[in-house]
């Protein structure tokens, strides 16, 4: 049986009952890591721009992005544990660091490369076109590139929970299995994610504090989506 977006969110609220403190604690650790990474990047970017420093900023930025992606995988691991009605320990946050970290990093590198290609295309168009052709070219690339990037992200969306639940799954097999699982499911996952847009609005007025509750809610819903898709696949 395929649950509606409304039902997936309802089941997420039920799963989080009694586990909100654990979910918010994990989110606090993740937020602290993100703030630390952002402050380091900001400090580097405010210094004098030289070719070496720009290369250093790019390198450190990529490393921080990859490290935080492993921590994000740990957050998903915590919510998969909650889905089993168990209380996750702090060590669950670092599961991706301990077991086959390269699998998560390869997927993140693919997505990062796609994002860089998309951004690079916008810069190239801005430099190559002038006058009346500039706006249409930007709109076409924004729409086409955005759709392709979204399809890629949705296709690989289940790689992280697959790696967390199937320890022997290789990088390539994980990508292929995620693609197979997401056939016919991309729009449903996209609708689920979009349904949370309103929940993220309060973050603007609370200095991001509301994300400590909204993000676990979203992650729990996507973990429920993963379990349902896996059950149908079997």
């Amino acid at each position: 049986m395929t649950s509606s977006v409304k039902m997936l969110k309802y089941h997420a609220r039920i799963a989080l009952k009694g586990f909100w403190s654990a979910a918010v604690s994990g989110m606090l650790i993740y937020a602290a890591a993100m703030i630390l990474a952002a402050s380091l990047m900001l400090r580097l970017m405010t210094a004098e721009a030289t070719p070496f420093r720009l290369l250093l900023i790019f390198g450190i930025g990529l490393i921080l992005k990859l490290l935080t992606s492993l921590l994000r995988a740990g957050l998903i691991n915590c919510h998969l544990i909650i889905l089993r009605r168990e209380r996750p320990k702090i060590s669950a946050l670092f599961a991706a660091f301990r077991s086959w970290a390269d699998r998560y990093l390869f997927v993140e590198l693919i997505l990062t490369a796609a994002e860089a290609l998309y951004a690079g295309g916008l810069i190239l168009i801005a430099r190559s076109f002038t006058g009346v052709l500039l706006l249409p070219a930007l709109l076409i690339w924004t729409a086409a590139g955005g759709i392709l990037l979204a399809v890629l992200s949705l296709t690989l969306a289940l790689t992280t929970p697959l790696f967390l639940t199937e320890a022997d799954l290789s990088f390539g097999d994980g990508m292929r299995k995620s693609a197979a699982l997401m056939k016919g499911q991309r729009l449903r996952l996209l609708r689920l994610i979009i349904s949370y847009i309103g929940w993220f609005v309060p973050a603007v007025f609370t200095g991001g504090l509301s994300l400590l509750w909204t993000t676990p809610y979203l992650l729990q819903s996507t973990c429920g989506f993963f379990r349902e898709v896996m059950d149908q696949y079997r």
Side-chain angles (χ1 to χ4, degrees):
M1 180 180 175
T2 301
S3 299
S4 65
V5 167
K6 185 177 180 180
M7 285 304 297
L8 285 170
K9 293 169 81 171
Y10 170 75
H11 290 311
R13 293 194 298 272
I14 296 299
L16 284 166
K17 279 188 176 179
F19 295 98
W20 272 107
S21 60
V24 172
S25 297
M27 190 58 203
L28 270 171
I29 295 172
Y30 177 74
M34 290 297 292
I35 291 170
L36 184 63
S39 63
L40 177 59
M41 287 301 298
L42 185 62
R43 185 169 183 177
L44 287 170
M45 292 172 69
T46 52
E48 182 183 354
T50 63
F52 173 75
R53 186 169 290 277
L54 290 174
L55 185 62
L56 183 65
I57 289 171
F58 173 78
I60 292 177
L62 180 61
I63 292 170
L64 289 175
K65 182 175 173 60
L66 294 175
L67 289 176
T68 52
S69 74
L70 291 177
L71 199 55
R72 187 168 65 250
L75 275 180
I76 294 172
N77 187 43
C78 290
H79 287 278
L80 288 172
I81 293 171
I82 289 173
L83 203 58
R84 301 197 300 264
R85 306 306 296 165
E86 299 173 13
R87 186 170 296 278
K89 298 177 180 178
I90 294 295
S91 59
L93 265 176
F94 306 98
F97 288 90
R98 298 192 304 268
S99 175
W100 286 53
D102 57 311
R103 297 181 301 174
Y104 305 94
L105 296 180
F106 278 134
V107 174
E108 189 66 24
L109 278 172
I110 288 172
L111 293 174
T112 300
E115 292 167 2
L117 183 63
Y118 177 60
L122 290 174
I123 295 171
L124 183 62
I125 289 171
R127 291 183 175 181
S128 303
F129 291 86
T130 56
V132 294
L133 292 176
L134 178 58
L135 183 58
L138 284 173
L139 289 175
I140 291 171
W141 178 257
T142 300
I147 290 171
L148 290 173
L149 190 58
V151 170
L152 177 63
S153 298
L154 290 169
T155 299
L156 301 180
L158 300 185
T159 51
T160 294
L162 281 170
F163 291 150
L164 289 166
T165 54
E166 301 183 29
D168 296 329
L169 197 65
S170 68
F171 159 65
D173 288 340
M175 291 181 64
R176 284 188 287 271
K177 189 167 184 177
S178 178
L181 288 169
M182 288 303 294
K183 281 185 179 177
Q185 300 286 351
R186 294 183 187 89
L187 283 178
R188 190 159 73 102
L189 180 57
L190 182 61
R191 287 197 299 270
L192 175 63
I193 295 169
I194 290 174
S195 72
Y196 279 91
I197 289 177
W199 285 86
F200 284 93
V201 172
V204 178
F205 306 101
T206 62
L209 285 176
S210 62
L211 295 177
L212 295 176
W213 287 268
T214 304
T215 305
Y217 187 16
L218 170 60
L219 289 175
Q220 198 64 52
S221 296
T222 54
C223 285
F225 170 86
F226 166 71
R227 183 174 67 177
E228 185 176 283
V229 170
M230 283 295 289
D231 289 343
Q232 292 173 0
Y233 183 78
R234 295 190 183 102

